[in-house]
Amino acid sequence: MTDNARYTQTRTFHGSVAKLAASLAIVLAACSLSWEDWPATGALLALALAGLAVSGMPLAELARRLALFSPVVALLALSIPLSQGFSSGWSLAATVASRATVSFLAGLWLIHVLPFDEMLLTLKRLRIPDVCISTLSFMHRNIFVLWEETRRIRTARKARRFGRTDRLDEWRAAIGLIATLVIRSLDRGDRIHRAMLARGWDGHFRHWQKVPASDPGPVEPS
Amino acid sequence: MHIPDGFLSTPVCLATGAISIAAVGYSVYRLKHSLADRTIPLAGMVSALVFTGQMVNFPVLMGTSGHLVGGVLAARLVGPWAGCLSLTLVLFVQRFLFADGGLLALGANVFHMAVVGAMGGYAIQAVVTRLLGRTTRASVIGTVVASWITVMLAAFLCCLEFALSRDSLRGFDLGRFLVLMILFHAFIGIGESLISGGIIRMVSFRRPDLLYQSEPSRVTRPGFPTAQGLLIALLVTICLAPLASSLPDGLDSAIQQSVSVRPEVDSPSLFGSYEGIFGETTWHVWSVILSGLIGTLVVFAIAVILGRPYSGSDDTTPGDPSD
């Protein structure tokens, strides 16, 4: 059964919407609480952690994500008392940090229980414009293609480089890498567009509808 | 750096989200006419490009690193509308694939990076490029200036939204927070300028055909739509100016409350007070209308001067190696 056919089942759609709504509800609740409401914030934190535990997210993955997220929020929260010479703003910083942490965990649970392709199909059913969904789908496919391209360019540069490099050289190399990526990706986009035109592309994606096995008729595009 | 949930209040997140939806919706509307069937492959590829470009790290200090934001770069490559859509999609994927940035704050992030970054950045670089003469050098300088200004503008807006998010800022000096944020983002802006300018410079010399060339406006001289807009603005001024409140505005009120000793002599100003032109209270309504009309006409004149379409007389192409 294809993803699209599986997704035509109402149960999957309602489940995805419920997951989105649950995550949003936790974020909304967390953002309405201040640092002084720590029991309620703690309850929401426990709820988000319980959700992550039930979803089967590996502890190492959770730790890795938290390690990436924590410095950013710590920097942002600490900038509030830092701007006041550390004489005030601590309560505000604690509120920002607690809200952000609970919301981050709720968001992490959402992306763990709702795969990206299912998210796109849910948004499509929620009447988000087709051009946005199709472009997102196209982008999602090409992120991995371009990442592979980046690795190839980087490997080729390393193979041609000898000796130590200073920071200026690294900046030059990184700028050159992205500029090369710009040229190659836009050329690739142009080639893909022409290939799409050759296959009858008129600006709209078409999805094949699920046809029961007993139906002897041909499969028609919707 | 993306704004996480909790930094801004829910009403501010909803307000910035509404602005972002309107801006992205307008971008999609414009793309249907300008790019048509190229919208999805081009915007999708540029989104993937910006996303991948953001994963390339630039070493800064003490083991820390920075990365590209890409609003001005995307706008310079595919124009303001596709650039805005691309940055929006990048932020969406970062949120729903990597939990980067807030769910409620997604609208604010789109506002800062896609609307201000791509649309605003494109407008700034277009003005700078035009002032400097539409050469490759002017294009690079325009990109550098636009990158720096958009980062600073985003930081300023972030502080403004932070202030609006708090019911009370008692004991909290917002000015000092603003200074810290602006100072911090001034360095981020320099990095963004160097990266975007460097990339546009290399692309300009290698493949200038890939850079976005704005189409000449259909209205090449002040015509009926311009006159219509001016007429509406003047009518609004005439009808609503007499309703202007006589009470001081927020800034005046704050100054009056905080400054105990007022100067004896007001500083000279052409429009120091709306009634200043006539001076008599009986002429209050007419003076307000006249002041409003003069202000509208001055702003209109500035808009017409800055908003003139490019003349096609400049033969220098962006890829001219003599630049």
Side-chain angles (χ1 to χ4, degrees):
Chain A
M1 188 183 289
T2 63
D3 279 350
N4 203 45
R6 179 165 57 85
Y7 205 76
T8 54
Q9 295 175 1
T10 314
R11 189 179 157 196
T12 314
F13 171 66
H14 286 168
S16 301
V17 172
K19 288 169 190 170
L20 265 174
S23 178
L24 192 61
I26 293 177
V27 173
L28 277 169
C31 289
S32 66
L33 300 170
S34 69
W35 169 243
E36 284 79 19
D37 306 315
W38 61 267
T41 306
L44 285 174
L45 186 69
L47 185 65
L49 285 172
L52 283 166
V54 170
S55 71
M57 185 173 206
L59 206 59
E61 174 69 9
L62 177 63
R64 193 180 68 83
R65 297 268 190 174
L66 276 173
L68 288 171
F69 163 79
S70 304
V72 176
V73 168
L75 184 68
L76 186 65
L78 278 176
S79 68
I80 298 170
L82 175 66
S83 68
Q84 310 300 306
F86 293 112
S87 59
S88 64
W90 288 102
S91 165
L92 209 52
T95 300
V96 167
S98 63
R99 285 176 177 180
T101 305
V102 173
S103 304
F104 172 75
L105 291 174
L108 205 55
W109 170 78
L110 178 69
I111 63 173
H112 194 65
V113 297
L114 191 63
F116 194 72
D117 54 346
E118 246 176 62
M119 161 79 73
L120 292 186
L121 291 165
T122 307
L123 294 177
K124 188 176 169 63
R125 287 279 297 268
L126 289 173
R127 307 290 175 91
I128 299 294
D130 198 41
V131 64
C132 293
I133 305 295
S134 301
T135 313
L136 265 174
S137 179
F138 191 93
M139 173 200 178
H140 187 231
R141 166 75 185 91
N142 282 286
I143 283 173
F144 303 100
V145 175
L146 291 191
W147 184 241
E148 282 302 313
E149 185 87 51
T150 310
R151 285 179 60 182
R152 279 198 295 274
I153 298 170
R154 199 174 265 163
T155 306
R157 282 182 188 276
K158 275 184 185 171
R160 290 196 297 267
R161 198 174 60 186
F162 302 98
R164 291 173 64 86
T165 54
D166 58 13
R167 190 164 283 129
L168 189 63
D169 286 335
E170 288 184 39
W171 272 66
R172 276 194 193 132
I175 287 172
L177 189 151
I178 299 177
T180 308
L181 201 63
V182 166
I183 294 168
R184 290 190 188 180
S185 61
L186 290 182
D187 278 342
R188 185 189 291 274
D190 197 37
R191 284 199 303 275
I192 292 173
H193 177 239
R194 274 184 274 142
M196 287 163 81
L197 287 175
R199 289 161 177 78
W201 169 251
D202 62 354
H204 300 282
F205 271 106
R206 285 173 173 74
H207 301 283
W208 296 94
Q209 281 186 336
K210 181 192 176 189
V211 178
S214 58
D215 188 346
V219 178
E220 294 291 341
S222 61
Chain B
M1 190 163 70
H2 300 1
I3 300 173
D5 284 322
F7 188 71
L8 304 176
S9 70
T10 305
V12 170
C13 287
L14 293 177
T16 49
I19 295 170
S20 301
I21 287 172
V24 176
Y26 184 69
S27 296
V28 171
Y29 167 76
R30 290 294 298 257
L31 285 174
K32 279 182 184 171
H33 296 281
S34 59
L35 283 180
D37 63 305
R38 286 181 69 210
T39 301
I40 291 170
L42 193 63
M45 190 55 84
V46 170
S47 305
L49 168 69
V50 172
F51 188 93
T52 314
Q54 288 185 352
M55 291 165 83
V56 176
N57 286 325
F58 289 78
V60 185
L61 283 173
M62 295 182 293
T64 58
S65 63
H67 65 77
L68 174 77
V69 177
V72 178
L73 175 69
R76 194 65 196 85
L77 290 174
V78 287
W81 317 119
C84 177
L85 179 64
S86 300
L87 259 290
T88 304
L89 299 184
V90 168
L91 291 166
F92 183 89
V93 169
Q94 283 175 339
R95 177 64 197 85
F96 287 104
L97 211 57
F98 299 95
D100 199 0
L103 184 65
L104 268 180
L106 183 61
N109 284 321
V110 168
F111 179 50
H112 295 160
M113 291 187 230
V115 180
V116 173
M119 285 184 175
Y122 182 82
I124 294 166
Q125 78 83 27
V127 170
V128 173
T129 305
R130 184 177 179 221
L131 288 174
L132 297 180
R134 295 184 71 190
T135 59
T136 303
R137 188 176 290 122
S139 171
V140 172
I141 292 172
T143 305
V144 167
V145 172
S147 300
W148 193 78
I149 291 178
T150 50
V151 169
M152 301 301 285
L153 200 55
F156 177 76
L157 286 170
C158 185
C159 288
L160 196 67
E161 289 154 14
F162 179 73
L164 289 171
S165 296
R166 307 271 98 78
D167 296 329
S168 163
L169 284 168
R170 209 168 30 196
F172 184 80
D173 189 345
L174 186 70
R176 292 173 71 176
F177 183 63
L178 179 68
V179 168
L180 182 75
M181 289 287 275
I182 292 289
L183 196 64
F184 183 60
H185 280 83
F187 290 104
I188 295 177
I190 290 170
E192 176 72 8
S193 301
L194 288 173
I195 299 168
S196 299
I199 294 166
I200 291 299
R201 184 172 179 274
M202 289 185 85
V203 175
S204 297
F205 283 116
R206 288 190 199 171
R207 289 289 303 279
D209 57 301
L210 293 179
L211 296 177
Y212 179 75
Q213 302 294 328
S214 61
E215 293 169 11
S217 172
R218 288 177 190 171
V219 184
T220 52
R221 63 187 64 182
F224 180 69
T226 316
Q228 208 176 16
L230 177 63
L231 191 66
I232 291 169
L234 292 175
L235 280 174
V236 167
T237 305
I238 292 168
C239 296
L240 296 185
L243 301 177
S245 172
S246 59
L247 295 172
D249 66 13
L251 187 61
D252 285 343
S253 175
I255 291 169
Q256 283 173 13
Q257 285 172 17
S258 61
V259 179
S260 55
V261 181
R262 289 177 64 81
E264 291 296 325
V265 182
D266 286 337
S267 57
S269 169
L270 185 59
F271 295 109
S273 164
Y274 286 121
E275 299 96 283
I277 293 175
F278 292 91
E280 299 291 335
T281 50
T282 51
W283 288 90
H284 173 77
V285 174
W286 290 108
S287 68
V288 169
I289 290 174
L290 190 61
S291 301
L293 287 176
I294 292 171
T296 305
L297 288 170
V298 168
V299 171
F300 175 76
I302 294 170
V304 166
I305 292 166
L306 292 180
R308 278 181 305 169
Y310 290 126
S311 63
S313 57
D314 194 342
D315 292 326
T316 312
T317 58
D320 191 347
S322 63
D323 292 337

